[in-house]
Amino acid sequence: QSALTQPRSVSGSPGQSVTISCTGTSTDVGRYNYVSWYQQHPGKAPKLIIYDVSKRPSGVPDRFSGSKSGNTASLTISGLQAEDEADYYCCSYAGIRIFGGGTKLTVL
Amino acid sequence: QVQLVQSGAEVKKPGASVRVSCKASGYTFSSYGLSWVRQAPGQGLEWMGWISAYNGNTNYARKLQGRVTMTTDTSTSTAYMELRSLRSDDTAVYYCARDGSSEVDALFDYWGQGTLVTVSS
């Protein structure tokens, strides 16, 4: 099973919004509502920021939101802040768990 | 508070085996599953497999089947991941992560600190 497809990099200025896509197939993202997103700062363990497509764990700011349409899930970060600069990974259930290749977010 | 504490860094020769431990605290160990995820230097996350801490059921990534074994010890709330026939491309940081209790899920809500495994002759 191939990794989910994410853009390698995205960027935005403080205060702006950015959206990171995660494209799979009808056997993973398109079939199940078990899509999660993780934020990873350099040298740190990943942190869960979205699960079940659009749910936020407690403590995660509501600037982070998730959605899904067909075979593509999306993570939107609004009101960009400097500390949002990190790598972001999506993950989907597909009989197994599959990660996306990761997206580096740069805050300009 | 939920904590996952992993064992320390390892250096292994090609062909050897490594076992990484992950001690859980702050929650009912048998009520959740655990996944192991690795990250090669400068690369993305790779899911390795899942184990139920309730009944020991496992689900391994296809590319690692035959080389990986995941187990749990409920008496000490500890999970173990053993990887055999190590190759240089197994060099990575290995993470344990609390996962859903069901095999059907994709939710890693707490992570260990990571264990660097270096495979080098």
Side-chain angles (χ1 to χ4, degrees):
Chain A
Q1 199 120 15
S2 301
L4 307 175
T5 301
Q6 297 181 232
R8 286 206 171 209
S9 64
V10 297
S11 62
S13 299
Q16 287 187 332
S17 293
V18 295
T19 296
I20 299 171
S21 61
C22 170
T23 301
T25 69
S26 59
T27 62
D28 42 61
V29 175
R31 182 171 182 180
Y32 301 99
N33 287 326
Y34 297 116
V35 177
S36 51
W37 289 88
Y38 302 86
Q39 177 191 64
Q40 186 180 35
H41 287 106
K44 300 293 188 181
K47 173 188 175 184
L48 176 69
I49 54 174
I50 295 288
Y51 68 99
D52 292 353
V53 174
S54 60
K55 297 177 181 177
R56 269 179 294 106
S58 61
V60 174
D62 59 7
R63 303 186 295 104
F64 293 88
S65 63
S67 63
K68 189 182 86 167
S69 177
N71 297 336
T72 298
S74 298
L75 171 71
T76 297
I77 309 171
S78 58
L80 267 180
Q81 299 180 3
E83 60 261 34
D84 297 335
E85 185 162 296
D87 293 325
Y88 292 83
Y89 296 90
C90 61
C91 182
S92 175
Y93 178 74
I96 55 173
R97 283 96 164 118
I98 311 176
F99 280 103
T103 299
K104 180 174 180 58
L105 169 62
T106 301
V107 180
L108 302 170
Chain B
Q1 70 284 18
V2 174
Q3 278 194 306
L4 299 173
V5 179
Q6 299 182 221
S7 49
E10 303 262 14
V11 179
K12 296 291 183 181
K13 294 193 182 303
S17 299
V18 68
R19 189 173 86 150
V20 180
S21 67
C22 170
K23 183 169 177 58
S25 62
Y27 71 97
T28 302
F29 184 67
S30 58
S31 295
Y32 291 82
L34 275 155
S35 272
W36 289 87
V37 176
R38 68 180 180 179
Q39 186 170 36
Q43 302 301 309
L45 302 175
E46 178 187 12
W47 178 77
M48 301 177 66
W50 167 91
I51 182 167
S52 165
Y54 174 71
N55 58 18
N57 285 353
T58 54
N59 185 5
Y60 299 140
R62 194 169 302 170
K63 68 175 284 189
L64 295 174
Q65 281 183 0
R67 285 207 301 139
V68 68
T69 301
M70 295 176 188
T71 57
T72 59
D73 181 345
T74 54
S75 68
T76 60
S77 298
T78 303
Y80 299 92
M81 185 284 299
E82 180 184 39
L83 189 60
R84 300 176 292 278
S85 302
L86 288 168
R87 308 186 290 246
S88 58
D89 62 357
D90 291 318
T91 294
V93 175
Y94 288 74
Y95 293 101
C96 62
R98 193 176 79 165
D99 199 340
S101 58
S102 167
E103 187 173 343
V104 181
D105 213 333
L107 165 57
F108 316 120
D109 57 355
Y110 291 92
W111 294 67
Q113 82 276 20
T115 297
L116 176 62
V117 175
T118 303
V119 182
S120 174
S121 55

PDB file of all heavy atoms in Angstrom, chain A residues 61-91:
ATOM      1  N   PRO A  61      -5.543  24.195  19.722  1.00  0.00           N
ATOM      2  CA  PRO A  61      -6.301  25.418  19.395  1.00  0.00           C
ATOM      3  C   PRO A  61      -7.282  25.194  18.252  1.00  0.00           C
ATOM      4  O   PRO A  61      -7.032  24.385  17.347  1.00  0.00           O
ATOM      5  CB  PRO A  61      -5.200  26.404  18.979  1.00  0.00           C
ATOM      6  CG  PRO A  61      -3.948  25.872  19.573  1.00  0.00           C
ATOM      7  CD  PRO A  61      -4.092  24.386  19.613  1.00  0.00           C
ATOM      8  N   ASP A  62      -8.397  25.939  18.291  1.00  0.00           N
ATOM      9  CA  ASP A  62      -9.399  25.769  17.225  1.00  0.00           C
ATOM     10  C   ASP A  62      -8.949  26.415  15.914  1.00  0.00           C
ATOM     11  O   ASP A  62      -9.700  26.411  14.933  1.00  0.00           O
ATOM     12  CB  ASP A  62     -10.760  26.303  17.672  1.00  0.00           C
ATOM     13  CG  ASP A  62     -10.729  27.771  18.053  1.00  0.00           C
ATOM     14  OD1 ASP A  62      -9.673  28.417  17.852  1.00  0.00           O
ATOM     15  OD2 ASP A  62     -11.750  28.276  18.550  1.00  0.00           O
ATOM     16  N   ARG A  63      -7.734  26.933  15.872  1.00  0.00           N
ATOM     17  CA  ARG A  63      -7.151  27.395  14.602  1.00  0.00           C
ATOM     18  C   ARG A  63      -6.867  26.208  13.680  1.00  0.00           C
ATOM     19  O   ARG A  63      -6.700  26.382  12.466  1.00  0.00           O
ATOM     20  CB  ARG A  63      -5.837  28.143  14.852  1.00  0.00           C
ATOM     21  CG  ARG A  63      -5.942  29.329  15.783  1.00  0.00           C
ATOM     22  CD  ARG A  63      -4.636  30.101  15.866  1.00  0.00           C
ATOM     23  NE  ARG A  63      -3.527  29.346  16.468  1.00  0.00           N
ATOM     24  CZ  ARG A  63      -2.535  28.819  15.768  1.00  0.00           C
ATOM     25  NH1 ARG A  63      -2.487  28.929  14.453  1.00  0.00           N
ATOM     26  NH2 ARG A  63      -1.554  28.175  16.395  1.00  0.00           N
ATOM     27  N   PHE A  64      -6.788  25.023  14.264  1.00  0.00           N
ATOM     28  CA  PHE A  64      -6.530  23.807  13.501  1.00  0.00           C
ATOM     29  C   PHE A  64      -7.870  23.125  13.211  1.00  0.00           C
ATOM     30  O   PHE A  64      -8.650  22.856  14.130  1.00  0.00           O
ATOM     31  CB  PHE A  64      -5.627  22.844  14.268  1.00  0.00           C
ATOM     32  CG  PHE A  64      -4.232  23.365  14.465  1.00  0.00           C
ATOM     33  CD1 PHE A  64      -3.919  24.158  15.561  1.00  0.00           C
ATOM     34  CD2 PHE A  64      -3.223  23.058  13.561  1.00  0.00           C
ATOM     35  CE1 PHE A  64      -2.638  24.640  15.751  1.00  0.00           C
ATOM     36  CE2 PHE A  64      -1.936  23.537  13.736  1.00  0.00           C
ATOM     37  CZ  PHE A  64      -1.645  24.330  14.833  1.00  0.00           C
ATOM     38  N   SER A  65      -8.117  22.833  11.934  1.00  0.00           N
ATOM     39  CA  SER A  65      -9.355  22.150  11.586  1.00  0.00           C
ATOM     40  C   SER A  65      -9.096  21.148  10.479  1.00  0.00           C
ATOM     41  O   SER A  65      -8.163  21.306   9.683  1.00  0.00           O
ATOM     42  CB  SER A  65     -10.441  23.142  11.163  1.00  0.00           C
ATOM     43  OG  SER A  65     -10.034  23.841   9.996  1.00  0.00           O
ATOM     44  N   GLY A  66      -9.932  20.102  10.442  1.00  0.00           N
ATOM     45  CA  GLY A  66      -9.768  19.051   9.447  1.00  0.00           C
ATOM     46  C   GLY A  66     -11.066  18.795   8.708  1.00  0.00           C
ATOM     47  O   GLY A  66     -12.155  19.039   9.230  1.00  0.00           O
ATOM     48  N   SER A  67     -10.930  18.299   7.490  1.00  0.00           N
ATOM     49  CA  SER A  67     -12.094  17.974   6.674  1.00  0.00           C
ATOM     50  C   SER A  67     -11.709  16.883   5.684  1.00  0.00           C
ATOM     51  O   SER A  67     -10.536  16.501   5.576  1.00  0.00           O
ATOM     52  CB  SER A  67     -12.609  19.213   5.944  1.00  0.00           C
ATOM     53  OG  SER A  67     -11.612  19.704   5.045  1.00  0.00           O
ATOM     54  N   LYS A  68     -12.708  16.392   4.980  1.00  0.00           N
ATOM     55  CA  LYS A  68     -12.470  15.355   3.975  1.00  0.00           C
ATOM     56  C   LYS A  68     -13.496  15.487   2.859  1.00  0.00           C
ATOM     57  O   LYS A  68     -14.674  15.755   3.107  1.00  0.00           O
ATOM     58  CB  LYS A  68     -12.574  13.962   4.602  1.00  0.00           C
ATOM     59  CG  LYS A  68     -12.135  12.829   3.681  1.00  0.00           C
ATOM     60  CD  LYS A  68     -12.304  11.464   4.348  1.00  0.00           C
ATOM     61  CE  LYS A  68     -13.694  10.925   4.173  1.00  0.00           C
ATOM     62  NZ  LYS A  68     -13.801   9.478   4.529  1.00  0.00           N
ATOM     63  N   SER A  69     -13.027  15.279   1.633  1.00  0.00           N
ATOM     64  CA  SER A  69     -13.914  15.229   0.479  1.00  0.00           C
ATOM     65  C   SER A  69     -13.406  14.142  -0.458  1.00  0.00           C
ATOM     66  O   SER A  69     -12.283  14.237  -0.972  1.00  0.00           O
ATOM     67  CB  SER A  69     -13.939  16.576  -0.255  1.00  0.00           C
ATOM     68  OG  SER A  69     -14.756  16.491  -1.412  1.00  0.00           O
ATOM     69  N   GLY A  70     -14.208  13.125  -0.629  1.00  0.00           N
ATOM     70  CA  GLY A  70     -13.784  12.010  -1.471  1.00  0.00           C
ATOM     71  C   GLY A  70     -12.536  11.344  -0.921  1.00  0.00           C
ATOM     72  O   GLY A  70     -12.488  10.957   0.244  1.00  0.00           O
ATOM     73  N   ASN A  71     -11.514  11.238  -1.752  1.00  0.00           N
ATOM     74  CA  ASN A  71     -10.281  10.569  -1.358  1.00  0.00           C
ATOM     75  C   ASN A  71      -9.238  11.518  -0.782  1.00  0.00           C
ATOM     76  O   ASN A  71      -8.084  11.116  -0.572  1.00  0.00           O
ATOM     77  CB  ASN A  71      -9.672   9.846  -2.563  1.00  0.00           C
ATOM     78  CG  ASN A  71     -10.567   8.741  -3.098  1.00  0.00           C
ATOM     79  OD1 ASN A  71     -11.406   8.207  -2.371  1.00  0.00           O
ATOM     80  ND2 ASN A  71     -10.401   8.418  -4.376  1.00  0.00           N
ATOM     81  N   THR A  72      -9.615  12.769  -0.552  1.00  0.00           N
ATOM     82  CA  THR A  72      -8.664  13.763  -0.061  1.00  0.00           C
ATOM     83  C   THR A  72      -9.105  14.356   1.270  1.00  0.00           C
ATOM     84  O   THR A  72     -10.218  14.863   1.400  1.00  0.00           O
ATOM     85  CB  THR A  72      -8.491  14.899  -1.089  1.00  0.00           C
ATOM     86  OG1 THR A  72      -7.960  14.362  -2.309  1.00  0.00           O
ATOM     87  CG2 THR A  72      -7.520  15.953  -0.564  1.00  0.00           C
ATOM     88  N   ALA A  73      -8.197  14.275   2.246  1.00  0.00           N
ATOM     89  CA  ALA A  73      -8.398  14.937   3.533  1.00  0.00           C
ATOM     90  C   ALA A  73      -7.585  16.225   3.537  1.00  0.00           C
ATOM     91  O   ALA A  73      -6.583  16.343   2.813  1.00  0.00           O
ATOM     92  CB  ALA A  73      -7.957  14.027   4.670  1.00  0.00           C
ATOM     93  N   SER A  74      -8.017  17.167   4.344  1.00  0.00           N
ATOM     94  CA  SER A  74      -7.316  18.454   4.403  1.00  0.00           C
ATOM     95  C   SER A  74      -7.182  18.932   5.837  1.00  0.00           C
ATOM     96  O   SER A  74      -8.079  18.734   6.655  1.00  0.00           O
ATOM     97  CB  SER A  74      -8.066  19.510   3.590  1.00  0.00           C
ATOM     98  OG  SER A  74      -8.134  19.157   2.226  1.00  0.00           O
ATOM     99  N   LEU A  75      -6.056  19.567   6.104  1.00  0.00           N
ATOM    100  CA  LEU A  75      -5.805  20.231   7.379  1.00  0.00           C
ATOM    101  C   LEU A  75      -5.677  21.719   7.089  1.00  0.00           C
ATOM    102  O   LEU A  75      -4.880  22.111   6.234  1.00  0.00           O
ATOM    103  CB  LEU A  75      -4.511  19.729   8.014  1.00  0.00           C
ATOM    104  CG  LEU A  75      -4.015  20.495   9.253  1.00  0.00           C
ATOM    105  CD1 LEU A  75      -4.924  20.220  10.447  1.00  0.00           C
ATOM    106  CD2 LEU A  75      -2.567  20.120   9.584  1.00  0.00           C
ATOM    107  N   THR A  76      -6.482  22.533   7.769  1.00  0.00           N
ATOM    108  CA  THR A  76      -6.407  23.981   7.610  1.00  0.00           C
ATOM    109  C   THR A  76      -5.935  24.598   8.913  1.00  0.00           C
ATOM    110  O   THR A  76      -6.447  24.276   9.990  1.00  0.00           O
ATOM    111  CB  THR A  76      -7.765  24.566   7.215  1.00  0.00           C
ATOM    112  OG1 THR A  76      -8.156  24.032   5.938  1.00  0.00           O
ATOM    113  CG2 THR A  76      -7.687  26.089   7.104  1.00  0.00           C
ATOM    114  N   ILE A  77      -4.950  25.463   8.801  1.00  0.00           N
ATOM    115  CA  ILE A  77      -4.452  26.210   9.945  1.00  0.00           C
ATOM    116  C   ILE A  77      -4.737  27.677   9.676  1.00  0.00           C
ATOM    117  O   ILE A  77      -4.234  28.248   8.700  1.00  0.00           O
ATOM    118  CB  ILE A  77      -2.942  25.996  10.160  1.00  0.00           C
ATOM    119  CG1 ILE A  77      -2.602  24.510  10.183  1.00  0.00           C
ATOM    120  CG2 ILE A  77      -2.483  26.660  11.459  1.00  0.00           C
ATOM    121  CD1 ILE A  77      -1.111  24.207  10.163  1.00  0.00           C
ATOM    122  N   SER A  78      -5.583  28.265  10.511  1.00  0.00           N
ATOM    123  CA  SER A  78      -5.915  29.673  10.335  1.00  0.00           C
ATOM    124  C   SER A  78      -5.151  30.518  11.352  1.00  0.00           C
ATOM    125  O   SER A  78      -4.684  29.996  12.374  1.00  0.00           O
ATOM    126  CB  SER A  78      -7.424  29.883  10.475  1.00  0.00           C
ATOM    127  OG  SER A  78      -7.857  29.427  11.742  1.00  0.00           O
ATOM    128  N   GLY A  79      -5.024  31.811  11.060  1.00  0.00           N
ATOM    129  CA  GLY A  79      -4.310  32.687  11.982  1.00  0.00           C
ATOM    130  C   GLY A  79      -2.909  32.188  12.267  1.00  0.00           C
ATOM    131  O   GLY A  79      -2.514  32.047  13.430  1.00  0.00           O
ATOM    132  N   LEU A  80      -2.146  31.903  11.213  1.00  0.00           N
ATOM    133  CA  LEU A  80      -0.811  31.314  11.353  1.00  0.00           C
ATOM    134  C   LEU A  80       0.034  32.037  12.386  1.00  0.00           C
ATOM    135  O   LEU A  80       0.054  33.287  12.437  1.00  0.00           O
ATOM    136  CB  LEU A  80      -0.073  31.350  10.010  1.00  0.00           C
ATOM    137  CG  LEU A  80      -0.164  30.140   9.092  1.00  0.00           C
ATOM    138  CD1 LEU A  80       0.629  30.400   7.825  1.00  0.00           C
ATOM    139  CD2 LEU A  80       0.302  28.885   9.793  1.00  0.00           C
ATOM    140  N   GLN A  81       0.744  31.244  13.185  1.00  0.00           N
ATOM    141  CA  GLN A  81       1.675  31.781  14.162  1.00  0.00           C
ATOM    142  C   GLN A  81       3.052  31.168  13.924  1.00  0.00           C
ATOM    143  O   GLN A  81       3.172  30.089  13.340  1.00  0.00           O
ATOM    144  CB  GLN A  81       1.179  31.479  15.579  1.00  0.00           C
ATOM    145  CG  GLN A  81      -0.171  32.101  15.892  1.00  0.00           C
ATOM    146  CD  GLN A  81      -0.651  31.797  17.306  1.00  0.00           C
ATOM    147  OE1 GLN A  81       0.053  31.163  18.091  1.00  0.00           O
ATOM    148  NE2 GLN A  81      -1.859  32.268  17.634  1.00  0.00           N
ATOM    149  N   ALA A  82       4.058  31.841  14.410  1.00  0.00           N
ATOM    150  CA  ALA A  82       5.428  31.389  14.190  1.00  0.00           C
ATOM    151  C   ALA A  82       5.637  29.960  14.690  1.00  0.00           C
ATOM    152  O   ALA A  82       6.333  29.163  14.050  1.00  0.00           O
ATOM    153  CB  ALA A  82       6.416  32.338  14.862  1.00  0.00           C
ATOM    154  N   GLU A  83       4.999  29.628  15.799  1.00  0.00           N
ATOM    155  CA  GLU A  83       5.193  28.287  16.381  1.00  0.00           C
ATOM    156  C   GLU A  83       4.510  27.185  15.589  1.00  0.00           C
ATOM    157  O   GLU A  83       4.702  25.999  15.893  1.00  0.00           O
ATOM    158  CB  GLU A  83       4.720  28.244  17.835  1.00  0.00           C
ATOM    159  CG  GLU A  83       3.261  28.579  18.036  1.00  0.00           C
ATOM    160  CD  GLU A  83       3.053  30.014  18.471  1.00  0.00           C
ATOM    161  OE1 GLU A  83       3.825  30.905  18.032  1.00  0.00           O
ATOM    162  OE2 GLU A  83       2.121  30.248  19.259  1.00  0.00           O
ATOM    163  N   ASP A  84       3.728  27.543  14.577  1.00  0.00           N
ATOM    164  CA  ASP A  84       3.101  26.529  13.728  1.00  0.00           C
ATOM    165  C   ASP A  84       4.094  25.960  12.720  1.00  0.00           C
ATOM    166  O   ASP A  84       3.805  24.956  12.062  1.00  0.00           O
ATOM    167  CB  ASP A  84       1.903  27.118  12.974  1.00  0.00           C
ATOM    168  CG  ASP A  84       0.802  27.589  13.908  1.00  0.00           C
ATOM    169  OD1 ASP A  84       0.709  27.064  15.037  1.00  0.00           O
ATOM    170  OD2 ASP A  84       0.041  28.496  13.512  1.00  0.00           O
ATOM    171  N   GLU A  85       5.251  26.617  12.589  1.00  0.00           N
ATOM    172  CA  GLU A  85       6.256  26.109  11.640  1.00  0.00           C
ATOM    173  C   GLU A  85       6.743  24.745  12.113  1.00  0.00           C
ATOM    174  O   GLU A  85       7.300  24.607  13.210  1.00  0.00           O
ATOM    175  CB  GLU A  85       7.428  27.085  11.517  1.00  0.00           C
ATOM    176  CG  GLU A  85       8.449  26.681  10.474  1.00  0.00           C
ATOM    177  CD  GLU A  85       9.344  27.817  10.041  1.00  0.00           C
ATOM    178  OE1 GLU A  85       8.843  28.795   9.464  1.00  0.00           O
ATOM    179  OE2 GLU A  85      10.570  27.715  10.279  1.00  0.00           O
ATOM    180  N   ALA A  86       6.488  23.732  11.301  1.00  0.00           N
ATOM    181  CA  ALA A  86       6.747  22.342  11.691  1.00  0.00           C
ATOM    182  C   ALA A  86       6.470  21.447  10.491  1.00  0.00           C
ATOM    183  O   ALA A  86       6.060  21.916   9.425  1.00  0.00           O
ATOM    184  CB  ALA A  86       5.851  21.939  12.868  1.00  0.00           C
ATOM    185  N   ASP A  87       6.698  20.152  10.690  1.00  0.00           N
ATOM    186  CA  ASP A  87       6.283  19.155   9.700  1.00  0.00           C
ATOM    187  C   ASP A  87       4.920  18.610  10.104  1.00  0.00           C
ATOM    188  O   ASP A  87       4.652  18.411  11.295  1.00  0.00           O
ATOM    189  CB  ASP A  87       7.296  18.007   9.633  1.00  0.00           C
ATOM    190  CG  ASP A  87       8.638  18.452   9.081  1.00  0.00           C
ATOM    191  OD1 ASP A  87       8.657  19.323   8.186  1.00  0.00           O
ATOM    192  OD2 ASP A  87       9.668  17.916   9.536  1.00  0.00           O
ATOM    193  N   TYR A  88       4.069  18.363   9.113  1.00  0.00           N
ATOM    194  CA  TYR A  88       2.727  17.848   9.363  1.00  0.00           C
ATOM    195  C   TYR A  88       2.519  16.555   8.574  1.00  0.00           C
ATOM    196  O   TYR A  88       2.873  16.465   7.393  1.00  0.00           O
ATOM    197  CB  TYR A  88       1.671  18.886   8.963  1.00  0.00           C
ATOM    198  CG  TYR A  88       1.692  20.093   9.875  1.00  0.00           C
ATOM    199  CD1 TYR A  88       2.590  21.133   9.661  1.00  0.00           C
ATOM    200  CD2 TYR A  88       0.831  20.170  10.978  1.00  0.00           C
ATOM    201  CE1 TYR A  88       2.637  22.226  10.523  1.00  0.00           C
ATOM    202  CE2 TYR A  88       0.868  21.257  11.831  1.00  0.00           C
ATOM    203  CZ  TYR A  88       1.769  22.278  11.604  1.00  0.00           C
ATOM    204  OH  TYR A  88       1.815  23.344  12.451  1.00  0.00           O
ATOM    205  N   TYR A  89       1.949  15.571   9.254  1.00  0.00           N
ATOM    206  CA  TYR A  89       1.705  14.269   8.647  1.00  0.00           C
ATOM    207  C   TYR A  89       0.244  13.881   8.799  1.00  0.00           C
ATOM    208  O   TYR A  89      -0.339  14.044   9.872  1.00  0.00           O
ATOM    209  CB  TYR A  89       2.554  13.186   9.320  1.00  0.00           C
ATOM    210  CG  TYR A  89       4.037  13.354   9.148  1.00  0.00           C
ATOM    211  CD1 TYR A  89       4.791  14.090  10.055  1.00  0.00           C
ATOM    212  CD2 TYR A  89       4.707  12.768   8.069  1.00  0.00           C
ATOM    213  CE1 TYR A  89       6.149  14.249   9.899  1.00  0.00           C
ATOM    214  CE2 TYR A  89       6.072  12.921   7.905  1.00  0.00           C
ATOM    215  CZ  TYR A  89       6.783  13.662   8.823  1.00  0.00           C
ATOM    216  OH  TYR A  89       8.136  13.817   8.660  1.00  0.00           O
ATOM    217  N   CYS A  90      -0.333  13.328   7.737  1.00  0.00           N
ATOM    218  CA  CYS A  90      -1.659  12.727   7.839  1.00  0.00           C
ATOM    219  C   CYS A  90      -1.478  11.216   7.985  1.00  0.00           C
ATOM    220  O   CYS A  90      -0.422  10.659   7.665  1.00  0.00           O
ATOM    221  CB  CYS A  90      -2.525  13.055   6.624  1.00  0.00           C
ATOM    222  SG  CYS A  90      -1.892  12.461   5.034  1.00  0.00           S
ATOM    223  N   CYS A  91      -2.519  10.580   8.476  1.00  0.00           N
ATOM    224  CA  CYS A  91      -2.517   9.129   8.654  1.00  0.00           C
ATOM    225  C   CYS A  91      -3.936   8.627   8.454  1.00  0.00           C
ATOM    226  O   CYS A  91      -4.896   9.271   8.894  1.00  0.00           O
ATOM    227  CB  CYS A  91      -2.022   8.768  10.053  1.00  0.00           C
ATOM    228  SG  CYS A  91      -1.931   6.992  10.361  1.00  0.00           S
TER     229      CYS A  91
END
